[in-house]
Amino acid sequence: MIEANEANTPRKEPGRIAAMFDRVAPGYDRTNTVMVAGQDKRWRKATREALSLQPGERCLDLGAGTGVSTAELAKSGADVVGVDFSLEMLKHHKDRQVPLVNADALRLPFADDAFNAVTGSFFIRNVVDLDACLTEIRRVLAPGGRMVLCEVSQPVWKPYRKAHGVFVKHVLPKVASRVASDPEAYQYLSDTTMAWPDQAEFADRIVKAGFRKVAWRNLAGGAVAMHRGFK
């Protein structure tokens, strides 16, 4: 189980997090779809549309897991590469016809300015160093390239925000105990959701990493948000 520190923020140790995702890999996609009532498909489509990928462009999909998001992005005709640091997640790619690479988002095995676009869905809150990850994303982006990150966030309507907090903290772990192969892993995901910064704070971190024209779009009433920035 991933421990929390005194501030109730989950302690992120790369080896332990990778091992956790290795354990949940066999049922990861199914469990996610069940827990968000199928909205994950809508969010993947929204991310692809926000990137506006064109045939011939190069796109990097971080935290690609089994490659389901990478395959969605490839529908654009762009040259898309998926990256994940969990080898077991990549092994469960189910023969998706997309290239997948086992690597750490903090040390990407790609040259500077290599991609027209970089994206990732529900991965960046798991990295050990958020600011270093944003810097690494900016490094591999070509000048003028865009980044779109889809991640958990804070609902904008106060009553919904309170109800959502109860769901994430108490209901989600119970649901996971019924449908997930490793309920402790989903307790960790619940904890990281509660600890993640809101839309404005995350946008500020993106600005400080050197991105311009930073903006966000709320999904699911703000429980999820897409943040965009340009190099």
Side-chain angles (χ1 to χ4, degrees):
M1 185 174 181
I2 307 296
E3 299 174 354
N5 61 23
E6 293 180 357
N8 202 33
T9 300
R11 184 179 300 160
K12 299 175 182 178
E13 299 175 10
R16 296 177 72 182
I17 296 175
M20 177 190 73
F21 280 102
D22 284 346
R23 294 195 304 271
V24 302
Y28 183 78
D29 292 330
R30 178 182 64 85
T31 301
N32 278 355
T33 297
V34 169
M35 290 197 300
V36 299
Q39 292 188 82
D40 54 324
K41 297 178 183 178
R42 185 190 312 171
W43 298 335
R44 284 193 294 271
K45 181 181 178 182
T47 300
R48 173 171 59 84
E49 292 174 347
L51 283 164
S52 299
L53 295 171
Q54 301 299 315
E57 288 190 314
R58 298 196 69 206
C59 176
L60 180 63
D61 181 27
L62 297 174
T66 66
V68 63
S69 57
T70 315
E72 175 68 30
L73 294 167
K75 292 178 181 179
S76 65
D79 180 11
V80 187
V81 179
V83 167
D84 202 281
F85 72 162
S86 167
L87 188 58
E88 287 301 315
M89 292 287 282
L90 296 176
K91 287 180 179 178
H92 285 79
H93 59 80
K94 299 180 181 178
D95 296 322
R96 296 187 177 95
Q97 300 301 307
V98 289
L100 299 172
V101 177
N102 182 219
D104 188 338
L106 298 181
R107 291 177 292 275
L108 293 170
F110 305 107
D112 296 355
D113 308 332
F115 295 93
N116 304 104
V118 177
T119 188
S121 296
F122 307 105
F123 96 94
I124 199 165
R125 75 182 190 279
N126 296 308
V127 301
V128 177
D129 189 332
L130 169 59
D131 299 318
C133 184
L134 291 170
T135 298
E136 184 69 347
I137 290 173
R138 190 175 182 277
R139 179 186 70 79
V140 300
L141 264 179
R146 65 272 195 199
M147 172 188 72
V148 174
L149 299 175
C150 187
E151 188 53 90
V152 299
S153 199
Q154 296 295 321
V156 293
W157 188 43
K158 189 173 181 180
Y160 176 38
R161 183 163 61 246
K162 184 176 181 179
H164 179 260
V166 171
F167 172 80
V168 170
K169 190 173 183 179
H170 300 290
V171 179
L172 188 150
K174 291 182 179 179
V175 173
S177 70
R178 293 177 178 272
V179 299
S181 58
D182 189 341
E184 288 187 351
Y186 287 88
Q187 180 63 59
Y188 159 79
L189 294 175
S190 172
D191 293 341
T192 56
T193 297
M194 297 299 294
W196 187 249
D198 64 16
Q199 291 90 324
E201 184 179 347
F202 185 33
D204 185 57
R205 301 282 283 273
I206 295 172
V207 170
K208 289 179 179 177
F211 289 86
R212 61 185 180 84
K213 296 184 180 179
V214 175
W216 70 83
R217 172 190 169 193
N218 288 320
L219 303 172
V224 172
M226 287 192 304
H227 281 71
R228 182 198 67 194
F230 293 84
K231 178 172 177 178

